[in-house]
Amino acid sequence: MQYLKRHYWLYIFLIPGFSYLLLFKYVPMAGIVIAFKDLSLTKGILNSDWVGWYHFETLLTSSNFYRVLRNSLLLSFYQIVWGFPAPILLALMLNEVRHLAFKRVTQTIIYFPHFISWVVMAGIVMSFLSPSTGIVNYVLHTLGFDSVAFLLKPEYFRSIIVSSEVWKEVGWGTIIYFAAISGIDPTLYESATIDGANRFQKMWHITLPGIAATIVILLLLKLGNILDNGFEQIYLLYNPMTYATGDVFETYTFRIGLQQGRISYGTAVGLFKAVVGFALIMSANSLARKISKKSIW
């Protein structure tokens, strides 16, 4: 209690954050009951008929379920394989740059795409990949190849999503790793220099172990959101021609729940995603604690 009285301002600063979590994360959880009802807008949530596990059974037996699940898992897998290491490697490389002006200008340039909305970014991607005026097809045509309608080809869709995601967020992702690197004791590098270690050896034996805890935590959070692929990006870039490889839970829920008015079914899909994500992050956290002794809690 004495600590609370002495540092009461710290707890006051927590109020906005806790208020946000309460209002936008916990209060809406009361709507989970919709997944177990046949929601009628005229009757309301409380007076709608109970249907139990009907919507979940419909989801698991739907021909679209396994397609959507496969697409979501594959997209997340590719984003982890290509997108997760990218900011780590970029942060390590920029950390070795000794020209401060070049380093700062480079950081500013790579941060900038993060602040561009996906609406604008999707327009840029479409312009680049346009079969008639896009720079990519212009290069292909110059090299003697035929133009390709990339955004209409299911086999290219996942590569477009992953590469555009990396392009947009790789710079922003380096901020956390720069912060972790700045917390490493400089005397470790000085001792390594005295022992004759080169830059690569310092990076491998000092920098990487120093940010290992940060890497593990961010990877666990990424695994916990493995079924979250980003609605805006995919919705703006996909079309019926690419449903086979681009339709994920977010876009499927939007079409089924809102466009077709099956709100209860859409809620069931969202609840299924949340339960799977919770189970994954708990499992990954337990595994990380056993293997590397590093975890979120």
Side-chain angles (χ1 to χ4, degrees):
M1 184 59 70
Q2 292 298 325
Y3 181 87
L4 177 61
K5 292 180 179 179
R6 187 165 59 252
H7 302 285
Y8 68 95
W9 276 110
L10 297 177
Y11 293 93
I12 291 177
F13 288 146
L14 289 175
I15 292 176
F18 278 114
S19 299
Y20 169 80
L21 290 175
L22 180 64
L23 291 175
F24 296 101
K25 300 297 181 179
Y26 285 95
V27 172
M29 288 179 67
I32 290 176
V33 70
I34 296 175
F36 303 94
K37 289 193 169 190
D38 183 15
L39 180 64
S40 172
L41 297 180
T42 57
K43 295 180 180 179
I45 297 176
L46 297 179
N47 296 322
S48 296
D49 298 330
W50 284 95
V51 294
W53 299 97
Y54 172 77
H55 296 301
F56 296 94
E57 294 173 358
T58 303
L59 171 65
L60 296 176
T61 56
S62 171
S63 59
N64 294 321
F65 171 72
Y66 296 100
R67 182 196 69 187
V68 172
L69 179 63
R70 182 183 68 251
N71 291 341
S72 298
L73 292 176
L74 281 176
L75 264 178
S76 293
F77 174 75
Y78 293 147
Q79 288 170 340
I80 290 174
V81 170
W82 298 104
F84 185 77
I88 301 174
L89 296 175
L90 187 58
L92 292 174
M93 289 189 292
L94 286 177
N95 186 58
E96 298 301 320
V97 175
R98 294 295 176 259
H99 196 289
L100 291 181
F102 175 81
K103 184 176 182 179
R104 290 170 182 170
V105 170
T106 303
Q107 286 177 306
T108 302
I109 293 174
I110 63 177
Y111 292 165
F112 181 71
H114 170 79
F115 298 99
I116 302 176
S117 70
W118 270 118
V119 176
V120 177
M121 189 63 72
I124 295 173
V125 172
M126 291 177 184
S127 298
F128 280 178
L129 301 178
S130 172
S132 56
T133 60
I135 188 173
V136 176
N137 276 299
Y138 175 78
V139 173
L140 291 177
H141 183 71
T142 302
L143 296 175
F145 296 97
D146 295 331
S147 297
V148 179
F150 289 100
L151 292 174
L152 298 179
K153 301 286 186 180
E155 60 269 25
Y156 295 124
F157 187 78
R158 294 187 184 120
S159 299
I160 294 171
I161 292 296
V162 174
S163 57
S164 60
E165 171 73 17
V166 173
W167 174 32
K168 187 175 186 296
E169 301 295 342
V170 64
W172 186 255
T174 61
I175 293 178
I176 297 177
Y177 297 109
F178 277 133
I181 291 173
S182 66
I184 299 175
D185 189 353
T187 59
L188 296 175
Y189 294 101
E190 296 171 2
S191 300
T193 301
I194 296 173
D195 291 337
N198 56 35
R199 285 192 176 184
F200 179 80
Q201 290 171 328
K202 293 177 188 177
M203 180 185 69
W204 186 259
H205 296 287
I206 299 176
T207 307
L208 272 177
I211 64 174
T214 303
I215 293 174
V216 170
I217 290 174
L218 292 179
L219 180 59
L220 291 178
L221 294 175
K222 189 73 174 177
L223 290 175
N225 295 316
I226 198 169
L227 293 182
D228 295 328
N229 304 105
F231 171 77
E232 287 184 340
Q233 179 191 15
I234 297 176
Y235 181 74
L236 291 168
L237 291 174
Y238 89 148
N239 56 75
M241 296 290 291
T242 57
Y243 280 177
T245 57
D247 198 19
V248 295
F249 277 108
E250 287 95 332
T251 55
Y252 179 68
T253 304
F254 175 77
R255 289 201 322 276
I256 298 297
L258 295 180
Q259 293 184 338
Q260 297 185 16
R262 300 170 63 185
I263 299 176
S264 294
Y265 182 69
T267 305
V269 176
L271 181 57
F272 170 82
K273 270 184 51 187
V275 171
V276 172
F278 179 75
L280 285 173
I281 198 170
M282 292 293 291
S283 302
N285 188 71
S286 300
L287 184 62
R289 188 188 298 118
K290 293 179 181 178
I291 295 176
S292 63
K293 307 302 181 183
K294 297 179 177 66
S295 61
I296 298 178
W297 59 84

